[in-house]
């Protein structure tokens, strides 16, 4: 009887639930994009689908991101195929550049003169996967194409979300965060003065780090997926999964806690809608906070700081890499923190919430990849509780936080540190329980003994 049952269980049978799950996820993602497209159209703006379709022909908004997306897709290709794909992308971009130059179609609105070629190559491999590949090779190539397109779609989706926040949230809660920020010593004002003192060089470096965060994520992800072309499968967990989850869930918090940032609410960029032109020279006075009206253009994208969240995720995933990658991850995190505060885009309390937000999502994504257990559930539940408590405190206790900084300042740091410590301990326990494949290999000295003919039995253990 058991032999008959086992004979019915084929690899195709095992793959069916996963295929159904991927199909359902694709349908949900397509429905989400269509909903955002409809919402953007209501406000007279193109949505993520239209914006992405336009970049097939017109100058793209982010050429480096498109090439980074193509690099992600190419992890499933051989080196020969990678060189051919890169050459085709560059050739297409040169052709587009010459046509635009011939018809005097200059790129405007911060658009890049390159990137179309990368998108054409990604779409071309999608066609190749459907028409020229079968079985596992088709699945692997489609996953690579999907990974590249997801990164681009995430950027377009984020832009549409920011538009929706500015249109649907006429008032902002900046006064609440500015008041609560007194508990941390108004770090945005302090770092803003430091960045201003460094002059244009420091500002340009921080601005580049801030803008090209997705490219840094792709570099780390490429290292994590460096063996995909050989092993013919993706790792169970990698940076892109966490990166996309942060981008998907973060804008939902924007809708709950709309904030524009100190440079708009308390600086010159806010114009006549700003409380006063105080940033970064004069910290705001401690007063009873109120909701304040703002324009329908500025995104409400401060709480939590997703740039801090993404940079934290890059830092975490770079820890397993070589020294240069660990150094780059550390630099990108520090520089991103300096940019978010130094340019007046965020308050200090935004960054605290962003770190907790990231560790909670990262714990959930790792648990999803390895299988949920008690420690994973507890860590995610604790992180979500701390994050919720931070939002509640910022909204309903800002005056108390400002009047008692000696109490609430350390409490904020301890709350963040407790989530960091919990994450480090739990993931360390997970890794200690995992048995690496290398432990099944013989020790190096065992090979030496085998070559000389040992008189005692060979023992097996971990390769040093």
């Amino acid at each position: 009887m058991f032999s008959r049952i086992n004979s019915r269980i084929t690899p195709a049978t095992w793959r069916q639930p996963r295929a159904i799950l991927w199909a359902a996820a694709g349908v949900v993602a397509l429905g989400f994009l269509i909903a955002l497209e409809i919402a953007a159209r209501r406000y007279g703006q193109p949505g993520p689908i239209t914006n992405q379709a336009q970049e097939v022909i017109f100058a793209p908004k982010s050429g480096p991101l498109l090439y980074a997306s193509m690099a992600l897709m190419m992890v499933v290709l051989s080196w020969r195929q990678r060189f051919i794909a890169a050459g085709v992308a560059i050739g297409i971009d040169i052709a587009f550049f010459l046509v635009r130059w011939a018809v005097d179609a200059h790129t405007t609105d911060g658009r890049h003169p390159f990137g179309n070629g990368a998108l054409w190559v990604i779409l071309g491999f999608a066609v190749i996967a459907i028409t020229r590949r079968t079985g596992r090779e088709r699945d692997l190539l489609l996953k690579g194409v999907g990974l590249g397109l997801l990164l681009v779609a995430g950027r377009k989706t984020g832009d549409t979300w920011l538009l929706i926040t500015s249109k649907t949230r006429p008032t902002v809660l900046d006064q609440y965060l500015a008041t609560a920020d007194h508990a941390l010593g108004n770090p945005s004002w302090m770092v803003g003065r430091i960045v201003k003192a460094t002059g244009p060089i420091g500002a340009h470096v921080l601005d580049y780090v801030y803008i090209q965060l997705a490219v840094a994520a792709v570099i780390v992800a490429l290292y994590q997926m460096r063996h995909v072309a050989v092993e013919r499968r993706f790792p169970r967990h990698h940076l892109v999964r966490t990166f996309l989850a942060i981008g998907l869930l973060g804008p939902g918090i924007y809708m709950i806690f709309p904030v524009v940032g100190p440079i708009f609410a308390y600086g010159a960029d806010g114009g006549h809608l700003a409380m006063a032109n105080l940033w970064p020279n004069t910290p705001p006075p401690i007063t009873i906070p109120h909701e304040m009206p703002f324009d329908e253009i500025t995104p409400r994208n401060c709480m939590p700081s997703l740039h801090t969240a993404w940079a934290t995720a890059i830092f975490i995933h770079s820890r397993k890499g070589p020294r240069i990658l660990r150094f780059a991850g550390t630099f990108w995190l520090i520089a991103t923190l300096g940019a978010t505060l130094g340019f007046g885009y965020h308050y200090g309390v935004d960054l605290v919430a962003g770190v907790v937000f990231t560790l909670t999502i990262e714990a959930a994504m790792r648990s999803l990849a390895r299988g949920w257990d008690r420690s994973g559930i507890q860590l995610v539940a604790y992180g979500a509780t701390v994050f919720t408590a931070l939002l509640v405190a910022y909204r309903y206790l800002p005056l108390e936080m400002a009047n008692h900084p000696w109490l609430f300042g350390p409490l904020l740091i301890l709350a963040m540190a407790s989530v960091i410590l919990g994450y480090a301990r739990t993931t360390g326990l997970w890794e200690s329980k995992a048995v690496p494949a290398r432990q099944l290999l013989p020790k190096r000295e065992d090979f030496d003994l085998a070559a000389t003919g040992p008189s005692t039995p060979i023992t097996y253990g971990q390769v040093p």
Side-chain angles (χ1 to χ4, degrees), residues 235-238 241 362-372:
R236 289 190 302 172
H237 178 55
H238 49 79
R241 299 173 79 242
E362 175 68 15
M365 299 304 292
R366 291 193 63 170
S367 296
L368 188 64
R370 67 182 296 273
W372 287 92

Side-chain angles (χ1 to χ4, degrees), residues 43-44 73 96 102 114 137 177 252 269 359 388 399 461-462:
Y43 299 110
M73 182 272 300
F96 269 88
F114 61 91
E137 290 300 315
L177 292 192
D269 288 12
L359 294 177
T388 303
L399 201 58
Q462 184 177 3

Side-chain angles (χ1 to χ4, degrees), residues 189 193 196 277-283:
W189 272 257
R193 292 193 293 271
K196 186 178 181 179
N277 192 358
L278 301 177
W279 189 89
N281 299 315
T282 307

